[in-house]
């Protein structure tokens, strides 16, 4: 009886694996699956930005860009007006994953609290934008 149950369950499990399109667990199947995945390439992780104050200026940095490729950093007011922009080359960094950028802007910092702008970076190689990073852009009040 136990043998019959194991046989039925084994057939059901095999049928389920085949129905789901999961490759069989054999050396030859794993080798072909691995090489197919490697040749197709894996999607790069989404780029990200973070900011901090350095030398009395807003500094924007980020990672997961394409190494040794151009990245366009832009800091805009929430109205869409550009406060700062610069092309930068993404480089490897011991702490930041992927290609990293570290850009010191001309925007004074720190400012009074309240995000009135955002930063984004465009990876030219992948043609993708990073998510928006809310930032505070200091403005003179005369």
């Amino acid at each position: 009886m136990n043998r019959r149950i194991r046989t039925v369950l084994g057939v059901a499990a095999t049928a389920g694996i085949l129905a789901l399109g999961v490759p069989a667990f054999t050396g030859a199947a794993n080798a072909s699956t691995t090489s197919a995945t490697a040749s197709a390439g894996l999607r790069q992780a989404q780029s990200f930005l973070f900011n901090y104050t350095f030398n009395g200026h807003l500094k924007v940095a980020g990672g997961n860009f394409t190494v040794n490729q151009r990245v366009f950093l832009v800091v805009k007011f929430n109205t869409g007006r550009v406060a700062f922009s610069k092309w930068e080359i993404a480089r490897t960094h011991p702490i930041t994953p992927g290609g990293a950028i570290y850009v010191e802007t001309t925007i004074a910092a720190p400012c009074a609290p309240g995000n009135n702008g955002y930063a984004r970076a465009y990876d030219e190689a992948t043609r993708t934008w990073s998510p928006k990073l809310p930032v505070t852009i200091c403005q003179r009040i005369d």
Side-chain angles (χ1 to χ4, degrees):
M1 180 75 170
N2 284 341
R3 182 181 298 169
R4 181 181 164 111
I5 292 172
R6 277 187 255 144
T7 303
V8 170
L9 290 176
V11 170
T14 303
I17 289 172
L18 294 175
L20 292 173
V22 178
F25 297 108
T26 64
N30 285 341
S32 65
T33 303
T34 303
S35 63
T37 303
S39 65
L42 298 175
R43 181 173 167 87
Q44 180 174 320
Q46 184 175 22
S47 58
F48 64 91
L49 295 175
F50 59 94
N51 66 300
Y52 56 97
T53 300
F54 181 75
N55 285 339
H57 293 110
L58 172 70
K59 190 153 184 176
V60 180
N64 285 337
F65 297 104
T66 307
V67 176
N68 295 326
Q69 297 297 315
R70 292 181 353 140
V71 174
F72 181 69
L73 174 70
V74 64
V75 179
K76 292 184 177 184
F77 288 94
N78 288 333
T79 61
R81 184 169 58 99
V82 175
F84 177 85
S85 64
K86 182 179 183 180
W87 282 98
E88 190 73 22
I89 301 293
R91 305 282 183 207
T92 58
H93 190 272
I95 298 172
T96 309
I101 60 167
Y102 285 81
V103 179
E104 183 176 348
T105 71
T106 55
I107 300 168
C111 299
N115 296 326
N116 60 345
Y118 62 91
R120 284 190 98 180
Y122 178 75
D123 187 327
E124 187 176 47
T126 62
R127 298 180 181 172
T128 58
W129 284 95
S130 70
K132 289 182 180 180
L133 171 71
V135 296
T136 303
I137 302 172
C138 292
Q139 297 184 70
R140 290 183 54 171
I141 300 174
D142 293 333

